[in-house]
Amino acid sequence: MGPVVQNDDNRGCSQGSRRCGRTGIRRGRGRTGIRGALAVLALAVLASGCAGDGGGVGGAIRPAPGQQPDKAALPEAPPARALHAYADRLRAAQQARVAAARRWGLRKVPLTPPAPPAHKPEITTRKGFEVDDHEELGLPPVFTTIPTEDKVVFLTIDDGAEKDPAFLRMMSELKVPYTAFLSNYLIKGDYGYFKKMRDLGVTLNNHTLHHPYLPALSYARQKREICGMQEVMREQYGVRPAVFRPPFGNYDQDTLRAAKSCGVRYAPLWDEEVFVDHWEYREPDQDLHPGDIVLTHFRGRGEWKGTMPDMVRRFLDKVTAKGYAVARLEDYL
C-alpha cells in the first residue's frame, strides 16, 4: 500500500498562511448568514402576499363600496411569529456554536457541511488496493477517499481504548460528525460509553474482536474475528454494521470474503492520520483533498502527549483553516 509520510505540523494550519494563526473567533459571518436567511424568508412571504390578480392583498377581491368584506376571502396574515421564531433559532444556534468553539479553544468556528448528496457517489476500490478477483467476487471496495467535489473530509476513530467523557461533550457541543470503528477487547469493559455515543448519532462500525493482523490468519479465523464482532455489535448496539475497517489497514482476499459473508459492504481505509501533536499523510503532496477520510484513535495521555480534545482541536483548526467542513461518512455511502 506504500509508506505513509509523516509531517510534524505542530501549528495545525496551512504553510504560509498568516490568518490561521490568529486567535479569537469571528462572529460576523454567522450574523450575515442569519440576515440572509431572514431576507429570503421575508421575500417569500411578501411574494405570497402580492401574487394574485384581484387587486387586493394576496389576490383577495375588494368589496364594493358599502359592502362588508367576505371574511372567507380575506388572506391570512403573514406568519410573522413563525418568521421571528425561525430567526431566533438560527441566532441561538450560531451563538451556541460560537460559544462552544471558544469554550473548547478553537481558533475559528467549524464550518457547516453541505446537505448529504441526493445521489450517492459510486464507491470503488482505489487503484493498487485490489485483491485477486476483487470485482468478479463482488468484494467490498477498499478506498481512502470519497469521490465528491464537496469541500469536506470525514473523521474516523478506531479501537475504543480511551473513554473520555470530555470528548463526548466536545463533539456534541460542536456538532461535529464522526464514525467509530470498535474492537471488542477494548470496549467490552464499558459498552455503555459507546451506547452514549450511538445515542448522540454516531455510527458504530466493525474493527474485529481482538484487532489482529488479519492476513496472518486462516479464512476461518478471519471470519470469526469479523463476523464475531458483527454479532457483538448487534447484541450491544442493535445493528450489524455494513462498514468494516481491517486492523492496521492490512487485508487479503480472505479478509474481504469473510467480511462480505457477514454483511459488510464497505471497507474504508484513510488518507491522513491525525495525532495529538502532528499529522501523517498517505499522499506525496501532504495535503487535504475533498472527500479525504481522516483516521485517528481513541487514545489519551497514557499513549499520547495530550487528550482526545487536544487531538480534536488540532484536527478542527487545520481543516477549518483550509476551508473544509467535517461531514458524516455514512451520508456519502
Side-chain angles (χ1 to χ4, degrees), residues 101-158:
R102 182 182 296 111
R103 184 163 55 251
W104 291 104
L106 302 183
R107 292 173 181 160
K108 293 182 180 180
V109 178
L111 299 175
T112 301
H119 301 286
K120 308 303 181 187
E122 181 182 0
I123 307 297
T124 58
T125 295
R126 176 171 171 162
K127 186 176 181 180
F129 286 57
E130 308 93 340
V131 298
D132 291 342
D133 300 322
H134 200 132
E135 186 173 351
E136 291 80 357
L137 294 174
L139 300 178
V142 179
F143 51 99
T144 62
T145 63
I146 297 290
T148 179
E149 294 182 0
D150 294 340
K151 202 168 183 184
V152 296
V153 295
F154 306 96
L155 179 63
T156 62
I157 311 179
D158 280 9

CSV table of all heavy atoms in Angstrom, one decimal, residues 101-158:
chain,number,residue,atom,x,y,z
A,101,ALA,N,-17.1,26.8,20.4
A,101,ALA,CA,-15.8,26.9,19.8
A,101,ALA,C,-14.8,27.6,20.7
A,101,ALA,O,-13.7,27.2,20.9
A,101,ALA,CB,-15.9,27.6,18.4
A,102,ARG,N,-15.3,28.7,21.3
A,102,ARG,CA,-14.5,29.4,22.3
A,102,ARG,C,-14.2,28.6,23.5
A,102,ARG,O,-13.0,28.6,24.0
A,102,ARG,CB,-15.2,30.7,22.7
A,102,ARG,CG,-14.3,31.6,23.6
A,102,ARG,CD,-15.0,32.9,24.0
A,102,ARG,NE,-15.3,33.7,22.9
A,102,ARG,CZ,-16.5,34.0,22.4
A,102,ARG,NH1,-17.5,33.4,22.9
A,102,ARG,NH2,-16.6,34.8,21.4
A,103,ARG,N,-15.2,27.9,24.0
A,103,ARG,CA,-15.0,27.1,25.2
A,103,ARG,C,-14.0,26.0,25.0
A,103,ARG,O,-13.2,25.7,25.9
A,103,ARG,CB,-16.4,26.5,25.6
A,103,ARG,CG,-16.4,25.8,26.9
A,103,ARG,CD,-17.8,25.6,27.4
A,103,ARG,NE,-18.7,25.0,26.5
A,103,ARG,CZ,-19.7,25.6,25.8
A,103,ARG,NH1,-19.9,26.9,26.1
A,103,ARG,NH2,-20.5,25.0,25.0
A,104,TRP,N,-14.0,25.4,23.8
A,104,TRP,CA,-13.0,24.3,23.6
A,104,TRP,C,-11.7,24.8,22.9
A,104,TRP,O,-10.9,24.0,22.5
A,104,TRP,CB,-13.7,23.3,22.7
A,104,TRP,CG,-14.8,22.5,23.4
A,104,TRP,CD1,-16.1,22.7,23.3
A,104,TRP,CD2,-14.6,21.6,24.4
A,104,TRP,NE1,-16.8,21.9,24.2
A,104,TRP,CE2,-15.9,21.2,24.9
A,104,TRP,CE3,-13.5,21.0,25.0
A,104,TRP,CZ2,-16.1,20.2,25.9
A,104,TRP,CZ3,-13.7,20.0,26.0
A,104,TRP,CH2,-15.0,19.6,26.4
A,105,GLY,N,-11.5,26.1,22.9
A,105,GLY,CA,-10.2,26.6,22.5
A,105,GLY,C,-9.9,26.6,21.0
A,105,GLY,O,-8.7,26.5,20.6
A,106,LEU,N,-10.9,26.6,20.1
A,106,LEU,CA,-10.7,26.6,18.7
A,106,LEU,C,-10.4,28.0,18.2
A,106,LEU,O,-10.9,29.0,18.7
A,106,LEU,CB,-11.9,26.0,18.0
A,106,LEU,CG,-12.4,24.6,18.4
A,106,LEU,CD1,-13.6,24.2,17.5
A,106,LEU,CD2,-11.3,23.6,18.2
A,107,ARG,N,-9.6,28.0,17.1
A,107,ARG,CA,-9.3,29.3,16.5
A,107,ARG,C,-10.5,29.9,15.8
A,107,ARG,O,-10.7,31.1,15.8
A,107,ARG,CB,-8.1,29.2,15.6
A,107,ARG,CG,-6.8,28.8,16.2
A,107,ARG,CD,-5.7,28.5,15.2
A,107,ARG,NE,-4.5,28.2,15.9
A,107,ARG,CZ,-3.5,27.5,15.3
A,107,ARG,NH1,-3.7,27.1,14.1
A,107,ARG,NH2,-2.4,27.2,16.0
A,108,LYS,N,-11.3,29.1,15.2
A,108,LYS,CA,-12.5,29.5,14.4
A,108,LYS,C,-13.6,28.5,14.6
A,108,LYS,O,-13.4,27.4,15.0
A,108,LYS,CB,-12.2,29.6,12.9
A,108,LYS,CG,-11.2,30.7,12.5
A,108,LYS,CD,-11.0,30.7,11.0
A,108,LYS,CE,-10.0,31.8,10.6
A,108,LYS,NZ,-9.9,31.8,9.1
A,109,VAL,N,-14.8,29.0,14.4
A,109,VAL,CA,-16.0,28.1,14.4
A,109,VAL,C,-15.9,27.1,13.3
A,109,VAL,O,-15.7,27.5,12.1
A,109,VAL,CB,-17.3,28.9,14.3
A,109,VAL,CG1,-18.5,28.0,14.3
A,109,VAL,CG2,-17.4,29.9,15.4
A,110,PRO,N,-16.1,25.8,13.5
A,110,PRO,CA,-16.0,24.8,12.4
A,110,PRO,C,-17.1,25.1,11.4
A,110,PRO,O,-18.2,25.6,11.7
A,110,PRO,CB,-16.3,23.5,13.1
A,110,PRO,CG,-15.9,23.7,14.6
A,110,PRO,CD,-16.2,25.1,14.8
A,111,LEU,N,-16.7,24.9,10.1
A,111,LEU,CA,-17.6,25.1,9.0
A,111,LEU,C,-18.7,24.1,9.0
A,111,LEU,O,-18.5,22.9,9.4
A,111,LEU,CB,-16.8,25.1,7.7
A,111,LEU,CG,-15.7,26.1,7.6
A,111,LEU,CD1,-14.9,25.9,6.3
A,111,LEU,CD2,-16.3,27.5,7.6
A,112,THR,N,-19.9,24.5,8.5
A,112,THR,CA,-21.0,23.6,8.4
A,112,THR,C,-21.0,22.8,7.1
A,112,THR,O,-20.8,23.4,6.0
A,112,THR,CB,-22.3,24.4,8.5
A,112,THR,OG1,-22.4,25.1,9.7
A,112,THR,CG2,-23.6,23.5,8.4
A,113,PRO,N,-21.1,21.5,7.1
A,113,PRO,CA,-21.0,20.7,5.9
A,113,PRO,C,-22.3,20.9,5.0
A,113,PRO,O,-23.4,21.3,5.5
A,113,PRO,CB,-21.0,19.3,6.3
A,113,PRO,CG,-21.6,19.3,7.7
A,113,PRO,CD,-21.3,20.6,8.3
A,114,PRO,N,-22.2,20.7,3.7
A,114,PRO,CA,-23.4,20.8,2.9
A,114,PRO,C,-24.4,19.7,3.2
A,114,PRO,O,-24.0,18.7,3.9
A,114,PRO,CB,-22.9,20.6,1.5
A,114,PRO,CG,-21.6,19.9,1.6
A,114,PRO,CD,-21.0,20.3,3.0
A,115,ALA,N,-25.6,19.8,2.7
A,115,ALA,CA,-26.6,18.7,2.9
A,115,ALA,C,-26.0,17.4,2.2
A,115,ALA,O,-25.3,17.4,1.3
A,115,ALA,CB,-27.9,19.1,2.2
A,116,PRO,N,-26.4,16.2,2.8
A,116,PRO,CA,-26.0,15.0,2.2
A,116,PRO,C,-26.4,14.9,0.7
A,116,PRO,O,-27.4,15.4,0.3
A,116,PRO,CB,-26.7,13.9,3.0
A,116,PRO,CG,-27.0,14.6,4.3
A,116,PRO,CD,-27.2,16.0,4.0
A,117,PRO,N,-25.5,14.3,-0.1
A,117,PRO,CA,-25.9,14.3,-1.6
A,117,PRO,C,-27.1,13.4,-1.8
A,117,PRO,O,-27.3,12.4,-1.2
A,117,PRO,CB,-24.6,13.6,-2.2
A,117,PRO,CG,-24.0,12.8,-1.1
A,117,PRO,CD,-24.3,13.6,0.2
A,118,ALA,N,-28.0,14.0,-2.7
A,118,ALA,CA,-29.2,13.2,-3.0
A,118,ALA,C,-28.9,11.9,-3.8
A,118,ALA,O,-29.5,10.9,-3.6
A,118,ALA,CB,-30.1,14.1,-3.9
A,119,HIS,N,-27.8,12.0,-4.6
A,119,HIS,CA,-27.4,10.8,-5.3
A,119,HIS,C,-26.0,10.4,-4.8
A,119,HIS,O,-25.0,11.2,-4.9
A,119,HIS,CB,-27.3,11.1,-6.8
A,119,HIS,CG,-28.6,11.5,-7.4
A,119,HIS,ND1,-29.7,10.6,-7.6
A,119,HIS,CD2,-29.1,12.7,-7.8
A,119,HIS,CE1,-30.7,11.2,-8.1
A,119,HIS,NE2,-30.4,12.5,-8.2
A,120,LYS,N,-25.9,9.3,-4.2
A,120,LYS,CA,-24.6,8.9,-3.5
A,120,LYS,C,-23.6,8.6,-4.6
A,120,LYS,O,-23.9,8.0,-5.6
A,120,LYS,CB,-24.9,7.6,-2.7
A,120,LYS,CG,-26.0,7.7,-1.7
A,120,LYS,CD,-25.9,8.9,-0.7
A,120,LYS,CE,-27.0,8.9,0.2
A,120,LYS,NZ,-27.0,10.1,1.1
A,121,PRO,N,-22.3,9.0,-4.3
A,121,PRO,CA,-21.3,8.7,-5.3
A,121,PRO,C,-21.0,7.2,-5.4
A,121,PRO,O,-21.3,6.4,-4.4
A,121,PRO,CB,-20.1,9.4,-4.7
A,121,PRO,CG,-20.4,9.6,-3.2
A,121,PRO,CD,-21.9,9.7,-3.1
A,122,GLU,N,-20.5,6.8,-6.5
A,122,GLU,CA,-20.1,5.4,-6.7
A,122,GLU,C,-18.8,5.1,-6.0
A,122,GLU,O,-17.8,5.8,-6.3
A,122,GLU,CB,-20.0,5.1,-8.2
A,122,GLU,CG,-19.7,3.6,-8.5
A,122,GLU,CD,-19.5,3.3,-10.0
A,122,GLU,OE1,-19.7,4.3,-10.8
A,122,GLU,OE2,-19.2,2.2,-10.3
A,123,ILE,N,-18.8,4.2,-5.1
A,123,ILE,CA,-17.6,3.9,-4.3
A,123,ILE,C,-16.9,2.7,-5.0
A,123,ILE,O,-17.5,1.6,-5.1
A,123,ILE,CB,-17.9,3.6,-2.9
A,123,ILE,CG1,-18.8,4.7,-2.3
A,123,ILE,CG2,-16.7,3.3,-2.1
A,123,ILE,CD1,-18.1,6.0,-2.2
A,124,THR,N,-15.7,2.8,-5.4
A,124,THR,CA,-14.9,1.7,-6.0
A,124,THR,C,-13.6,1.6,-5.3
A,124,THR,O,-13.2,2.5,-4.5
A,124,THR,CB,-14.6,2.0,-7.5
A,124,THR,OG1,-13.9,3.3,-7.6
A,124,THR,CG2,-15.9,2.1,-8.3
A,125,THR,N,-12.9,0.5,-5.5
A,125,THR,CA,-11.7,0.2,-4.8
A,125,THR,C,-10.6,1.1,-5.4
A,125,THR,O,-10.5,1.2,-6.7
A,125,THR,CB,-11.3,-1.3,-5.0
A,125,THR,OG1,-12.2,-2.1,-4.2
A,125,THR,CG2,-9.9,-1.5,-4.4
A,126,ARG,N,-9.8,1.7,-4.6
A,126,ARG,CA,-8.7,2.5,-5.0
A,126,ARG,C,-7.7,1.7,-5.8
A,126,ARG,O,-7.4,0.5,-5.5
A,126,ARG,CB,-7.9,3.1,-3.8
A,126,ARG,CG,-6.7,4.0,-4.2
A,126,ARG,CD,-6.2,4.7,-3.0
A,126,ARG,NE,-4.9,5.3,-3.4
A,126,ARG,CZ,-4.3,6.3,-2.7
A,126,ARG,NH1,-4.9,6.8,-1.6
A,126,ARG,NH2,-3.2,6.8,-3.1
A,127,LYS,N,-7.2,2.2,-6.9
A,127,LYS,CA,-6.2,1.5,-7.8
A,127,LYS,C,-5.0,1.1,-6.9
A,127,LYS,O,-4.4,1.9,-6.2
A,127,LYS,CB,-5.8,2.4,-8.9
A,127,LYS,CG,-4.9,1.7,-9.9
A,127,LYS,CD,-4.6,2.5,-11.2
A,127,LYS,CE,-3.7,1.8,-12.2
A,127,LYS,NZ,-3.4,2.7,-13.3
A,128,GLY,N,-4.6,-0.1,-7.1
A,128,GLY,CA,-3.5,-0.7,-6.3
A,128,GLY,C,-3.9,-1.3,-5.0
A,128,GLY,O,-3.0,-1.9,-4.3
A,129,PHE,N,-5.1,-1.2,-4.6
A,129,PHE,CA,-5.6,-1.7,-3.4
A,129,PHE,C,-6.5,-2.9,-3.6
A,129,PHE,O,-7.1,-3.5,-2.6
A,129,PHE,CB,-6.4,-0.7,-2.6
A,129,PHE,CG,-5.5,0.4,-1.9
A,129,PHE,CD1,-4.7,1.2,-2.7
A,129,PHE,CD2,-5.6,0.7,-0.6
A,129,PHE,CE1,-3.9,2.2,-2.2
A,129,PHE,CE2,-4.8,1.6,0.0
A,129,PHE,CZ,-4.0,2.4,-0.8
A,130,GLU,N,-6.6,-3.4,-4.8
A,130,GLU,CA,-7.4,-4.6,-5.1
A,130,GLU,C,-6.7,-5.9,-4.7
A,130,GLU,O,-5.5,-5.9,-4.5
A,130,GLU,CB,-7.6,-4.7,-6.7
A,130,GLU,CG,-8.1,-3.4,-7.3
A,130,GLU,CD,-7.0,-2.5,-7.9
A,130,GLU,OE1,-5.8,-2.7,-7.4
A,130,GLU,OE2,-7.3,-1.7,-8.7
A,131,VAL,N,-7.6,-6.9,-4.5
A,131,VAL,CA,-7.1,-8.3,-4.2
A,131,VAL,C,-7.5,-9.1,-5.5
A,131,VAL,O,-8.2,-8.6,-6.3
A,131,VAL,CB,-7.7,-8.9,-3.0
A,131,VAL,CG1,-7.3,-8.1,-1.7
A,131,VAL,CG2,-9.3,-9.0,-3.1
A,132,ASP,N,-7.0,-10.3,-5.6
A,132,ASP,CA,-7.3,-11.1,-6.7
A,132,ASP,C,-8.8,-11.3,-6.9
A,132,ASP,O,-9.5,-11.6,-5.9
A,132,ASP,CB,-6.7,-12.5,-6.6
A,132,ASP,CG,-5.2,-12.4,-6.7
A,132,ASP,OD1,-4.7,-11.4,-7.3
A,132,ASP,OD2,-4.5,-13.4,-6.3
A,133,ASP,N,-9.3,-11.1,-8.1
A,133,ASP,CA,-10.8,-11.3,-8.4
A,133,ASP,C,-11.7,-10.4,-7.5
A,133,ASP,O,-12.8,-10.8,-7.2
A,133,ASP,CB,-11.2,-12.8,-8.2
A,133,ASP,CG,-10.4,-13.8,-9.1
A,133,ASP,OD1,-10.1,-13.4,-10.2
A,133,ASP,OD2,-10.0,-14.8,-8.6
A,134,HIS,N,-11.2,-9.3,-7.2
A,134,HIS,CA,-11.9,-8.3,-6.3
A,134,HIS,C,-13.3,-8.0,-6.9
A,134,HIS,O,-14.3,-8.2,-6.3
A,134,HIS,CB,-11.1,-7.0,-6.2
A,134,HIS,CG,-11.5,-6.2,-5.0
A,134,HIS,ND1,-10.6,-5.7,-4.1
A,134,HIS,CD2,-12.7,-5.9,-4.5
A,134,HIS,CE1,-11.2,-5.1,-3.1
A,134,HIS,NE2,-12.5,-5.1,-3.4
A,135,GLU,N,-13.3,-7.6,-8.2
A,135,GLU,CA,-14.6,-7.2,-8.8
A,135,GLU,C,-15.4,-8.4,-9.1
A,135,GLU,O,-16.6,-8.4,-8.9
A,135,GLU,CB,-14.3,-6.3,-10.0
A,135,GLU,CG,-15.5,-5.7,-10.7
A,135,GLU,CD,-15.2,-4.8,-11.8
A,135,GLU,OE1,-14.0,-4.5,-12.0
A,135,GLU,OE2,-16.1,-4.4,-12.5
A,136,GLU,N,-14.8,-9.4,-9.6
A,136,GLU,CA,-15.5,-10.6,-10.0
A,136,GLU,C,-16.2,-11.3,-8.9
A,136,GLU,O,-17.3,-11.8,-9.0
A,136,GLU,CB,-14.5,-11.7,-10.7
A,136,GLU,CG,-14.0,-11.3,-12.0
A,136,GLU,CD,-12.8,-10.3,-11.9
A,136,GLU,OE1,-12.5,-9.9,-10.7
A,136,GLU,OE2,-12.2,-9.9,-12.9
A,137,LEU,N,-15.6,-11.2,-7.7
A,137,LEU,CA,-16.3,-11.8,-6.5
A,137,LEU,C,-17.2,-10.9,-5.8
A,137,LEU,O,-17.8,-11.2,-4.8
A,137,LEU,CB,-15.2,-12.3,-5.5
A,137,LEU,CG,-14.3,-13.4,-6.0
A,137,LEU,CD1,-13.1,-13.7,-5.0
A,137,LEU,CD2,-15.1,-14.7,-6.2
A,138,GLY,N,-17.3,-9.6,-6.3
A,138,GLY,CA,-18.2,-8.6,-5.6
A,138,GLY,C,-17.8,-8.3,-4.2
A,138,GLY,O,-18.6,-8.1,-3.4
A,139,LEU,N,-16.4,-8.2,-4.0
A,139,LEU,CA,-16.0,-7.9,-2.6
A,139,LEU,C,-16.1,-6.5,-2.3
A,139,LEU,O,-16.2,-5.6,-3.1
A,139,LEU,CB,-14.5,-8.4,-2.5
A,139,LEU,CG,-14.2,-9.8,-2.8
A,139,LEU,CD1,-12.7,-10.1,-2.8
A,139,LEU,CD2,-15.0,-10.7,-1.9
A,140,PRO,N,-16.2,-6.2,-1.0
A,140,PRO,CA,-16.4,-4.8,-0.5
A,140,PRO,C,-15.2,-3.9,-1.1
A,140,PRO,O,-14.1,-4.3,-1.0
A,140,PRO,CB,-16.3,-4.9,1.0
A,140,PRO,CG,-16.7,-6.3,1.3
A,140,PRO,CD,-16.2,-7.1,0.2
A,141,PRO,N,-15.6,-2.7,-1.6
A,141,PRO,CA,-14.5,-1.8,-2.1
A,141,PRO,C,-13.6,-1.3,-0.9
A,141,PRO,O,-14.1,-1.1,0.2
A,141,PRO,CB,-15.3,-0.7,-2.7
A,141,PRO,CG,-16.6,-0.7,-2.0
A,141,PRO,CD,-16.9,-2.1,-1.7
A,142,VAL,N,-12.3,-1.2,-1.2
A,142,VAL,CA,-11.4,-0.6,-0.3
A,142,VAL,C,-11.0,0.8,-0.8
A,142,VAL,O,-10.5,0.9,-1.9
A,142,VAL,CB,-10.1,-1.5,-0.2
A,142,VAL,CG1,-9.1,-0.9,0.8
A,142,VAL,CG2,-10.6,-2.9,0.3
A,143,PHE,N,-11.1,1.8,0.0
A,143,PHE,CA,-10.9,3.2,-0.5
A,143,PHE,C,-10.4,4.1,0.6
A,143,PHE,O,-10.5,3.8,1.8
A,143,PHE,CB,-12.2,3.7,-1.1
A,143,PHE,CG,-13.4,3.6,-0.1
A,143,PHE,CD1,-13.9,4.7,0.6
A,143,PHE,CD2,-14.1,2.4,0.0
A,143,PHE,CE1,-14.9,4.5,1.5
A,143,PHE,CE2,-15.2,2.2,0.8
A,143,PHE,CZ,-15.6,3.3,1.6
A,144,THR,N,-9.8,5.2,0.2
A,144,THR,CA,-9.2,6.1,1.2
A,144,THR,C,-9.9,7.5,1.1
A,144,THR,O,-9.7,8.3,2.0
A,144,THR,CB,-7.7,6.3,0.9
A,144,THR,OG1,-7.5,6.8,-0.4
A,144,THR,CG2,-7.0,4.9,1.0
A,145,THR,N,-10.6,7.7,0.0
A,145,THR,CA,-11.4,9.0,-0.1
A,145,THR,C,-12.8,8.7,-0.7
A,145,THR,O,-13.0,7.6,-1.3
A,145,THR,CB,-10.7,10.0,-1.1
A,145,THR,OG1,-10.6,9.4,-2.4
A,145,THR,CG2,-9.2,10.3,-0.6
A,146,ILE,N,-13.6,9.6,-0.6
A,146,ILE,CA,-15.0,9.6,-1.2
A,146,ILE,C,-14.9,10.4,-2.4
A,146,ILE,O,-14.5,11.6,-2.3
A,146,ILE,CB,-16.1,10.1,-0.2
A,146,ILE,CG1,-16.1,9.2,1.0
A,146,ILE,CG2,-17.4,10.1,-0.9
A,146,ILE,CD1,-16.7,7.8,0.8
A,147,PRO,N,-15.4,9.9,-3.6
A,147,PRO,CA,-15.4,10.8,-4.8
A,147,PRO,C,-16.5,11.9,-4.7
A,147,PRO,O,-17.7,11.6,-4.8
A,147,PRO,CB,-15.7,9.8,-5.9
A,147,PRO,CG,-16.4,8.7,-5.3
A,147,PRO,CD,-15.8,8.6,-3.9
A,148,THR,N,-16.1,13.1,-4.4
A,148,THR,CA,-17.0,14.2,-4.2
A,148,THR,C,-16.3,15.5,-4.5
A,148,THR,O,-15.1,15.6,-4.3
A,148,THR,CB,-17.6,14.3,-2.8
A,148,THR,OG1,-18.5,15.4,-2.7
A,148,THR,CG2,-16.5,14.4,-1.7
A,149,GLU,N,-17.0,16.5,-5.0
A,149,GLU,CA,-16.5,17.8,-5.2
A,149,GLU,C,-16.8,18.7,-4.0
A,149,GLU,O,-16.3,19.8,-3.9
A,149,GLU,CB,-17.1,18.5,-6.4
A,149,GLU,CG,-16.7,17.8,-7.7
A,149,GLU,CD,-17.3,18.4,-9.0
A,149,GLU,OE1,-18.0,19.5,-8.8
A,149,GLU,OE2,-17.1,17.9,-10.1
A,150,ASP,N,-17.5,18.2,-3.0
A,150,ASP,CA,-17.8,18.9,-1.8
A,150,ASP,C,-16.5,19.1,-1.0
A,150,ASP,O,-15.7,18.2,-0.9
A,150,ASP,CB,-18.8,18.2,-0.9
A,150,ASP,CG,-20.2,18.1,-1.5
A,150,ASP,OD1,-20.5,18.9,-2.4
A,150,ASP,OD2,-21.0,17.3,-1.1
A,151,LYS,N,-16.3,20.3,-0.5
A,151,LYS,CA,-15.0,20.5,0.3
A,151,LYS,C,-15.2,20.0,1.7
A,151,LYS,O,-15.4,20.8,2.7
A,151,LYS,CB,-14.6,22.0,0.2
A,151,LYS,CG,-13.1,22.2,0.5
A,151,LYS,CD,-12.6,23.6,0.2
A,151,LYS,CE,-11.1,23.6,0.4
A,151,LYS,NZ,-10.6,25.0,0.2
A,152,VAL,N,-15.2,18.7,1.8
A,152,VAL,CA,-15.5,18.0,3.1
A,152,VAL,C,-14.4,17.0,3.3
A,152,VAL,O,-13.8,16.4,2.4
A,152,VAL,CB,-16.9,17.4,3.2
A,152,VAL,CG1,-18.0,18.5,3.1
A,152,VAL,CG2,-17.1,16.3,2.1
A,153,VAL,N,-14.2,16.7,4.6
A,153,VAL,CA,-13.4,15.5,5.0
A,153,VAL,C,-14.2,14.7,6.0
A,153,VAL,O,-15.2,15.2,6.6
A,153,VAL,CB,-12.0,15.9,5.6
A,153,VAL,CG1,-11.2,16.6,4.6
A,153,VAL,CG2,-12.2,16.8,6.8
A,154,PHE,N,-13.8,13.5,6.3
A,154,PHE,CA,-14.5,12.6,7.2
A,154,PHE,C,-13.6,12.1,8.3
A,154,PHE,O,-12.5,11.6,8.0
A,154,PHE,CB,-15.1,11.4,6.4
A,154,PHE,CG,-15.9,11.8,5.2
A,154,PHE,CD1,-15.3,11.9,3.9
A,154,PHE,CD2,-17.2,12.1,5.3
A,154,PHE,CE1,-16.0,12.2,2.8
A,154,PHE,CE2,-17.9,12.5,4.2
A,154,PHE,CZ,-17.3,12.5,2.9
A,155,LEU,N,-14.0,12.3,9.5
A,155,LEU,CA,-13.3,11.9,10.7
A,155,LEU,C,-13.7,10.5,11.1
A,155,LEU,O,-14.9,10.3,11.4
A,155,LEU,CB,-13.4,12.9,11.8
A,155,LEU,CG,-12.7,12.6,13.1
A,155,LEU,CD1,-11.2,12.6,12.9
A,155,LEU,CD2,-13.1,13.5,14.2
A,156,THR,N,-12.7,9.6,11.2
A,156,THR,CA,-13.0,8.2,11.7
A,156,THR,C,-12.1,7.9,12.8
A,156,THR,O,-10.9,8.3,12.8
A,156,THR,CB,-12.8,7.2,10.6
A,156,THR,OG1,-11.4,7.2,10.1
A,156,THR,CG2,-13.7,7.5,9.4
A,157,ILE,N,-12.6,7.2,13.9
A,157,ILE,CA,-11.8,7.0,15.1
A,157,ILE,C,-11.8,5.5,15.4
A,157,ILE,O,-12.9,4.8,15.5
A,157,ILE,CB,-12.4,7.8,16.3
A,157,ILE,CG1,-12.6,9.2,15.9
A,157,ILE,CG2,-11.5,7.7,17.5
A,157,ILE,CD1,-13.2,10.1,16.9
A,158,ASP,N,-10.7,4.9,15.6
A,158,ASP,CA,-10.5,3.4,15.7
A,158,ASP,C,-10.3,3.0,17.2
A,158,ASP,O,-9.8,3.7,18.0
A,158,ASP,CB,-9.3,3.0,14.9
A,158,ASP,CG,-9.7,2.9,13.4
A,158,ASP,OD1,-10.8,3.3,13.0
A,158,ASP,OD2,-8.9,2.4,12.6
